[in-house]
């Protein structure tokens, strides 16, 4: 019997739902729930992690992330302006830096800041301890990415904006600062937020600098607790803790984009 | 820098401008007197916008000299930012600052460049918004305005800097036809108030009614200039006639034969009596 078009479409849809339900049912039935709960969801371990995971670990994760982001943003903006400079050596230096640091693993740069520099200059110390080192170590890499994003944002501002500002008697610098860059940042908010989310996760690399009970962040805290209790629950808790940061972040961005859409 | 009171508002001598191998301006001599309204017309690619943009040095001339209000713009050491304060410019694409309210668009340069206080800058801004009929739009963002309102706000922004000379680069070309009239009305009012104006435009009715002098450019040179009734009403040059017939009577161009080759030049087209924009 030949099916009509609508019947065929309905059948196809039902089959897709059916496949979905079947996979879920197999997983639910086949999984060893007792063992999974024992390994990943021990309520007593979860309780033991609070409130330290929030008051110390999450706080430090946020601090390291913001430190690296701030360093990367300032340095990245400078690099972006150098890339667009009329002075050729500035362009060369910025281009070389960006190409170099985009090609290096963040972990290696962090080693360089955390261990390389102290070996080279033993009499000096990076200010801010772990916070300072992670801000600079991750910020150096982030700056290279952010510089390219910001440069693209600046170039995306129509040429007429600079012309109008200059026509009103503004200097190139004033026009850049009050007219072009504010608009460029509106354009680059989504990609910069992406960078913030990446940094949130990269802040877990802080463990290589040797953190203490005061400077511990979420991933290291989860792993230490795992070692103590010989149980995987802390990893689940640590993972969910990151979502506390990253999920609201995308909400905030969505709202900002809406607000700026009105102003554009 | 020479500053002479007797110099005209704009004086251009043997101006050349090339973009790479393309020579856009091929030796322009040109003046705008104080309080004079000059309309520059001509086909696209004739160099009229480039000429206008050379006046405030948005384009760097390849050769020649330009004086504005007695200051030589082409002097390599000219204090360009301070000279530009006296020269307002209105763009085809408005170029309002989209991240600022209309009021802030009008005050930002007053405050940053002229160092006026907030209260004074806002008072001057509101005066100029009233002048262009946008009193109630001070707190709106540019994106919330129609094209005609944006262009009037852009004019008010320039006026807030108290310019001695206003440059208009096809100010109505990006507007819907029904919005053109409001902008032209503001410009006509400005002309009647005695502003020195240099207007690149395709609005022949505006040129006829408001200009003191019309300049026709083609191929990078000034072909013909004079009072509007002469240039628009009785053009002397074939190129002017051909351009005007194409602009004023576009649907009948085919019947004119090959412009520039016909042995008998077509009768100069008269301006339509019933023009679209009552200004």
């Amino acid at each position: 019997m030949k099916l009509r078009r609508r019947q065929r479409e309905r059948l196809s849809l039902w089959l897709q739902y059916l496949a979905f339900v079947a996979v879920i049912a197999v997983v639910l039935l086949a999984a060893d729930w007792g063992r999974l709960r024992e390994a990943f969801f021990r309520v007593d371990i979860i309780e033991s992690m609070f409130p330290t995971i929030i008051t110390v670990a999450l706080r430090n994760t946020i601090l390291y992330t913001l430190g690296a982001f701030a360093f990367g943003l300032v340095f990245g903006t400078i690099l972006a302006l150098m890339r667009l400079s009329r002075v050729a050596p500035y362009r060369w230096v910025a281009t070389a830096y960006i190409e170099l640091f985009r090609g290096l693993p963040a972990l290696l740069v962090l080693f360089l800041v955390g261990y390389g520099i102290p070996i080279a200059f033993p009499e000096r110390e990076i200010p801010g301890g772990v916070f300072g080192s992670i801000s600079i170590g991750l910020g150096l890499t982030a700056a290279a990415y952010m510089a390219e994003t910001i440069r693209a944002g600046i170039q995306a501002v129509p040429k007429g904006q600079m012309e109008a500002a200059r026509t009103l008697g503004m200097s190139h610098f004033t026009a850049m600062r009050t007219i072009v860059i504010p608009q460029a940042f509106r354009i680059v908010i989504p990609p910069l937020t992406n960078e913030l989310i990446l940094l949130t996760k990269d802040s877990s690399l802080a463990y290589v600098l040797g953190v203490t009970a005061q400077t511990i962040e979420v991933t290291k805290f989860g792993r230490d607790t795992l070692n103590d209790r010989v149980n995987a629950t802390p990893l689940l808790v640590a993972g969910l803790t990151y979502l506390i940061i990253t999920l609201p972040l995308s909400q905030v961005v969505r709202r900002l984009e809406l607000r700026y859409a009105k102003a554009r | 820098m020479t500053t002479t009171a007797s110099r005209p508002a704009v004086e251009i001598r043997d101006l050349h401008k090339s973009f790479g191998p393309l020579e856009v301006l091929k030796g322009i001599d040109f003046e705008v007197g104080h309080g004079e309204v000059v309309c520059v017309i001509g086909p696209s690619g004739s160099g009229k916008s480039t000429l206008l943009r050379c006046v405030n040095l948005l384009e760097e001339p390849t050769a020649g000299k330009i004086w504005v209000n007695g200051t030589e713009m082409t002097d390599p050491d000219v204090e360009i930012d301070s000279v530009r304060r006296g020269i307002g410019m209105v763009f085809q694409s408005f170029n309002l600052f989209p991240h600022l309210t209309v009021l802030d668009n009008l005050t930002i340069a007053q405050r940053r460049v002229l160092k006026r206080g907030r209260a004074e800058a806002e008072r001057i801004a509101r005066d100029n918004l009233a002048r262009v009929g946008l009193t109630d739009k001070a707190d709106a963002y540019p994106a919330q305005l129609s094209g005609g309102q944006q262009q009037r706000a852009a004019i008010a922004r320039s006026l807030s800097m108290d310019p001695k000379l206003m440059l208009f680069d096809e100010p109505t070309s990006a507007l819907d036809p029904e919005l053109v009239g409001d902008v032209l009305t503001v410009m006509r009012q400005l002309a009647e108030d005695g502003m020195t104006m240099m207007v690149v435009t395709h609005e022949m009715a505006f040129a006829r009614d408001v200009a003191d002098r019309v300049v026709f450019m083609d191929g990078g040179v000034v072909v013909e200039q004079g009072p509007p009734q002469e240039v628009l009403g009785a053009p002397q040059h074939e190129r002017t006639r051909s351009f005007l017939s194409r602009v004023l009577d576009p649907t009948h161009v085919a019947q004119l034969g090959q412009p520039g080759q016909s042995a008998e030049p077509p009768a100069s087209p008269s301006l339509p009596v019933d023009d679209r924009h009552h200004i």
Side-chain angles (χ1 to χ4, degrees):
Chain A
M1 187 188 96
K2 195 168 177 332
L3 294 172
R4 293 167 197 269
R5 185 178 63 85
R6 278 194 302 172
Q7 286 173 320
R8 279 201 312 274
E9 280 175 3
R10 208 172 300 153
L11 182 68
S12 152
L13 204 58
W14 275 110
L15 284 175
Q16 290 177 58
Y17 277 116
L18 201 67
F20 180 78
V21 171
V23 169
I24 296 289
V26 167
V27 169
L28 287 177
L29 293 173
D32 185 342
W33 287 103
R35 252 168 94 173
L36 279 176
R37 185 185 321 147
E38 180 57 30
F40 284 103
F41 203 79
R42 282 262 304 275
V43 176
D44 59 316
I45 295 179
I46 294 175
E47 282 175 347
S48 78
M49 294 176 78
F50 284 88
T52 318
I53 190 163
I54 302 295
T55 56
V56 178
L58 180 61
R59 179 177 150 273
N60 282 333
T61 289
I62 292 174
L63 279 180
Y64 298 160
T65 305
L66 291 182
F69 188 77
F71 184 90
L73 191 64
V74 172
F75 191 32
T77 305
I78 295 171
L79 283 170
L81 293 175
M82 285 172 72
R83 277 272 272 162
L84 298 169
S85 169
R86 282 166 55 188
V87 183
Y90 284 171
R91 293 200 301 270
W92 301 336
V93 168
T95 307
Y97 180 92
I98 290 164
E99 292 303 324
L100 183 67
F101 276 79
R102 284 201 303 185
L104 296 178
L107 187 57
L108 185 129
V109 178
L110 202 56
F111 277 137
L112 206 70
V113 172
Y115 298 110
I117 290 179
I119 289 172
F121 307 99
E123 72 283 1
R124 299 256 180 110
E125 204 174 88
I126 292 175
V130 175
F131 172 75
S133 299
I134 190 98
S135 297
I136 296 172
L138 293 180
L140 285 173
T141 307
Y145 286 97
M146 286 155 106
E148 284 297 88
T149 306
I150 293 165
R151 178 187 60 80
I154 290 172
Q155 289 180 324
V157 176
K159 199 166 134 258
Q161 292 291 309
M162 174 59 92
E163 287 186 350
R166 294 305 304 273
T167 302
L168 290 165
M170 288 188 199
S171 66
H172 181 87
F173 179 78
T174 305
M176 225 30 191
R177 197 169 55 84
T178 63
I179 303 301
V180 176
I181 289 182
Q183 292 184 56
F185 271 100
R186 260 146 245 237
I187 295 170
V188 298
I189 278 176
L192 282 189
T193 306
N194 211 27
E195 190 61 35
L196 188 60
I197 291 170
L198 290 176
L199 279 172
T200 306
K201 296 182 285 179
D202 281 355
S203 68
S204 62
L205 295 172
Y207 80 92
V208 303
L209 298 175
V211 294
T212 65
Q214 274 75 50
T215 59
I216 200 163
E217 46 65 57
V218 172
T219 300
K220 176 76 162 118
F221 182 74
R223 200 192 144 201
D224 284 0
T225 318
L226 175 141
N227 285 354
D228 284 351
R229 309 295 292 261
V230 198
N231 187 279
T233 305
L235 295 185
L236 185 83
V237 177
L240 291 174
T241 307
Y242 279 104
L243 295 183
I244 295 177
I245 307 178
T246 50
L247 291 183
L249 216 50
S250 31
Q251 276 301 316
V252 168
V253 175
R254 212 161 297 159
R255 215 161 289 168
L256 280 177
E257 279 178 334
L258 277 177
R259 214 179 77 194
Y260 289 142
K262 203 176 80 177
R264 274 194 71 76
Chain B
M1 274 183 271
T2 25
T3 307
T4 327
S6 58
R7 280 212 185 270
V10 179
E11 188 177 349
I12 295 172
R13 291 287 161 253
D14 197 30
L15 176 68
H16 290 259
K17 173 65 184 173
S18 299
F19 293 103
L22 181 70
E23 191 174 28
V24 178
L25 299 178
K26 302 171 179 169
I28 303 274
D29 289 288
F30 183 79
E31 278 166 25
V32 180
H34 293 283
E36 195 182 14
V37 176
V38 175
C39 281
V40 184
I41 62 170
S44 51
S46 60
K48 53 194 193 305
S49 280
T50 305
L51 172 65
L52 193 78
R53 290 165 59 86
C54 279
V55 172
N56 65 356
L57 236 61
L58 278 185
E59 302 291 352
E60 196 92 28
T62 311
K65 285 194 187 301
I66 300 170
W67 290 265
V68 175
N69 300 325
T71 305
E72 189 193 334
M73 303 295 284
T74 38
D75 180 341
D77 284 327
V78 69
E79 290 295 339
I80 187 64
D81 295 335
S82 72
V83 191
R84 279 187 180 140
R85 285 174 214 165
I87 311 173
M89 182 152 188
V90 175
F91 299 87
Q92 182 177 350
S93 50
F94 328 136
N95 293 348
L96 287 176
F97 306 133
H99 61 304
L100 302 177
T101 63
V102 169
L103 189 68
D104 289 343
N105 263 276
L106 269 65
T107 56
I108 188 161
Q110 292 189 65
R111 303 199 58 202
R112 304 269 177 186
V113 178
L114 302 180
K115 309 292 180 196
R116 286 177 182 156
R118 176 185 292 279
E120 189 192 5
E122 288 192 358
R123 182 181 55 74
I124 292 169
R126 288 185 194 280
D127 286 351
N128 280 300
L129 281 179
R131 207 168 163 186
V132 301
L134 290 176
T135 311
D136 53 334
K137 298 293 183 188
D139 298 320
Y141 281 95
Q144 297 166 314
L145 305 184
S146 74
Q149 290 170 334
Q150 287 191 50
Q151 192 61 297
R152 284 185 280 147
I155 293 172
R157 178 175 67 178
S158 283
L159 293 177
S160 297
M161 301 295 285
D162 300 328
K164 294 195 183 68
L165 163 71
M166 286 286 287
L167 308 174
F168 292 86
D169 188 5
E170 301 197 25
T172 56
S173 296
L175 296 177
D176 290 337
E178 78 273 20
L179 302 176
V180 170
D182 289 342
V183 172
L184 293 181
T185 305
V186 166
M187 289 169 63
R188 154 171 260 181
Q189 188 58 50
L190 204 55
E192 286 172 1
D193 292 347
M195 177 63 76
T196 309
M197 293 164 65
M198 187 171 162
V199 185
V200 170
T201 187
H202 290 294
E203 298 292 336
M204 294 306 149
F206 178 83
R208 178 194 60 195
D209 293 346
V210 179
D212 297 309
R213 182 154 52 96
V214 172
V215 175
F216 173 69
M217 280 183 71
D218 192 14
V221 295
V222 172
V223 174
E224 158 162 27
Q225 56 177 311
Q229 59 272 25
E230 284 177 20
V231 176
L232 300 176
Q236 298 301 302
H237 287 260
E238 170 53 32
R239 281 198 277 180
T240 318
R241 280 195 287 270
S242 151
F243 169 73
L244 288 174
S245 67
R246 272 177 287 145
V247 170
L248 298 174
D249 200 7
T251 53
H252 292 108
V253 172
Q255 296 172 12
L256 291 172
Q258 294 91 19
Q261 290 177 10
S262 56
E264 199 180 343
S268 61
S270 56
L271 283 161
V273 182
D274 178 26
D275 196 75
R276 200 173 52 182
H277 315 298
H278 300 279
I279 49 174

